[in-house]
Amino acid sequence: MMTNKLILLLAVLISFTAAGSTFAADLTIYSARKEHLIKPLFDAYSAQTGVKIEYITDKAGPLLQRLKAEGKNTRADLLITVDAGNLWHAANEGILQPVNSEVLTTNVPANLRDPNNQWFGLSLRARTIVYNTDKVKPEQLSTYAALGDKAWKGRLLLRTSKKVYNQSLVAMMIAEYGEEQTEQIVKAWVANLAAAPFSNDTKTMEAIAAGQGDVGVVNTYYFGRLKKKDPSLPLALFWPNQATEGSGVHVNVSGAGVTRHAKHPEAAIKFIEWLSSDKAQNLFADINQEYPVNPSVKASDEVASWGTFTASPFDLSKAGELQSAAIKLMDRVGYR
Ligand code: FE
């Protein structure tokens, strides 16, 4: 019996040592951003600073579950994910911690980070209107709400309401217009749909280019990716809600937060400070054709070529706070 216990203890000790020597990392990151979008940044940071980074990538949901299950024993110092809704959830589940960093509060505008500084937006994407240039003139477009006008009957294509991007869009509309008005808008969208909602933004745009519908709502970087693949596609972006004071294009972020049980919180903070800096913002944003969050950094030429716009000034934490209201609203009006 004693021997068995001793063997078990030894085995545990050996496995920890082995883990320690195999992953002698200074910083451990759980990333819901895909490896090809994030590894170049880890490599650049390691090359610059000598900091050894270990990481795993997975979808946001499983990573949050894992962090919760691991609790105090987690190796993760930092969580990186897309969408303010996901970041808000992580903070709300208690797996992040507030960070006191003047660098971050300077580099990241207040509406693009958690009010308690548990997460920080690091790259920005707009969820905007896309249209078929053979069938629509930009003068015919104005606001997200106007996509519910009779003129667009049988011409609108949308991505599924199951995607967090649309949940955040509708949540931010609730923040701006209130629930009642938002419900009317989304109901009118559903009435205008030319086809059942698509599983992703790219399919939505391909259908618009193919003439299945004339207008839709997508994230800017998917537009950039598709146009790069086939520049001849008759697609263009339109920036809605520009004429109304206090309104603007719906934007969202990818971002990061230091985990509650981080073993290397200082290293984690240093790394996100670096990501928000002039040095790294273009590296982070340009790799996925996104916009820098740091106002002192310019977007890449390609992204800038899509034109300038006023972004919605509303606090992105609302995307999380109002997410369940948004999901229920979309369900009520039959947006699948
Ligand atoms: Fe995406």
Side-chain angles (χ1 to χ4, degrees):
M1 195 66 187
M2 192 65 200
T3 327
N4 277 352
K5 266 192 184 162
L6 199 66
I7 288 169
L8 191 68
L9 183 68
L10 274 172
V12 167
L13 279 174
I14 287 164
S15 78
F16 269 109
T17 316
S21 58
T22 314
F23 309 104
D26 307 309
L27 180 59
T28 300
I29 298 173
Y30 285 5
S31 172
R33 294 216 87 183
K34 296 207 174 70
E35 184 169 15
H36 71 278
L37 297 177
I38 204 79
K39 189 169 180 295
L41 287 151
F42 298 161
D43 291 345
Y45 188 68
S46 293
Q48 245 177 62
T49 60
V51 169
K52 278 188 219 149
I53 297 177
E54 69 168 349
Y55 64 91
I56 56 164
T57 62
D58 202 340
K59 289 202 184 316
L63 284 182
L64 290 198
Q65 286 311 315
R66 182 170 172 165
L67 273 161
K68 265 172 76 177
E70 288 174 340
K72 277 187 197 149
N73 299 319
T74 190
R75 302 180 71 88
D77 299 304
L78 192 69
L79 172 71
I80 298 180
T81 186
V82 294
D83 204 282
N86 290 335
L87 289 159
W88 182 90
H89 265 295
N92 201 46
E93 299 274 3
I95 53 183
L96 302 178
Q97 61 170 295
V99 164
N100 200 347
S101 159
E102 221 179 288
V103 174
L104 285 170
T105 48
T106 304
N107 289 349
V108 183
N111 67 317
L112 305 181
R113 54 179 152 88
D114 176 42
N116 301 315
N117 293 321
Q118 296 202 61
W119 53 264
F120 299 85
L122 293 168
S123 69
L124 182 128
R125 62 280 295 280
R127 192 155 187 78
T128 194
I129 294 177
V130 64
Y131 64 95
N132 183 316
T133 51
D134 293 336
K135 297 193 176 168
V136 177
K137 293 200 166 34
E139 304 85 72
Q140 295 172 267
L141 294 161
S142 58
T143 63
Y144 296 103
L147 294 178
D149 290 352
K150 291 226 161 50
W152 302 106
K153 183 107 193 145
R155 301 172 74 187
L156 176 64
L157 293 176
L158 294 174
R159 183 182 189 159
T160 170
S161 65
K162 308 285 178 288
K163 182 68 186 179
V164 68
Y165 300 160
N166 282 332
Q167 296 166 3
S168 290
L169 169 66
V170 172
M172 296 308 283
M173 287 168 66
I174 294 174
E176 184 168 354
Y177 305 118
E179 205 161 323
E180 224 170 282
Q181 201 183 333
T182 304
E183 184 157 344
Q184 292 315 308
I185 294 168
V186 180
K187 196 176 178 179
W189 288 354
V190 173
N192 281 349
L193 286 180
F198 292 85
S199 60
N200 66 52
D201 284 11
T202 305
K203 282 183 185 155
T204 309
M205 279 184 288
E206 283 168 347
I208 292 168
Q212 199 179 347
D214 299 341
V215 285
V217 176
V218 295
N219 279 5
T220 39
Y221 56 92
Y222 291 115
F223 170 84
R225 245 182 247 173
L226 190 61
K227 282 291 256 190
K228 198 176 235 174
K229 231 171 71 185
D230 186 356
S232 72
L233 287 176
L235 294 172
L237 295 176
F238 178 83
W239 308 116
N241 295 38
Q242 297 299 282
T244 344
E245 182 125 10
S247 187
V249 174
H250 169 64
V251 292
N252 208 320
V253 291
S254 82
V258 178
T259 64
R260 169 157 307 223
H261 300 292
K263 308 300 180 290
H264 311 102
E266 289 84 13
I269 294 167
K270 282 229 164 63
F271 180 59
I272 44 177
E273 285 178 345
W274 178 78
L275 287 174
S276 76
S277 71
D278 296 22
K279 257 188 276 179
Q281 273 282 282
N282 280 118
L283 210 54
F284 195 21
D286 299 358
I287 199 168
N288 192 36
Q289 297 186 69
E290 290 184 67
Y291 299 86
V293 290
N294 185 328
S296 72
V297 181
K298 283 201 178 83
S300 73
D301 290 345
E302 194 168 7
V303 169
S305 76
W306 304 336
T308 54
F309 60 88
T310 301
S312 161
F314 288 84
D315 233 336
L316 267 187
S317 55
K318 293 276 179 241
E321 277 169 43
L322 295 167
Q323 188 185 74
S324 69
I327 292 169
K328 283 181 206 148
L329 186 157
M330 291 190 283
D331 191 53
R332 279 201 299 277
V333 301
Y335 179 7
R336 300 291 174 243

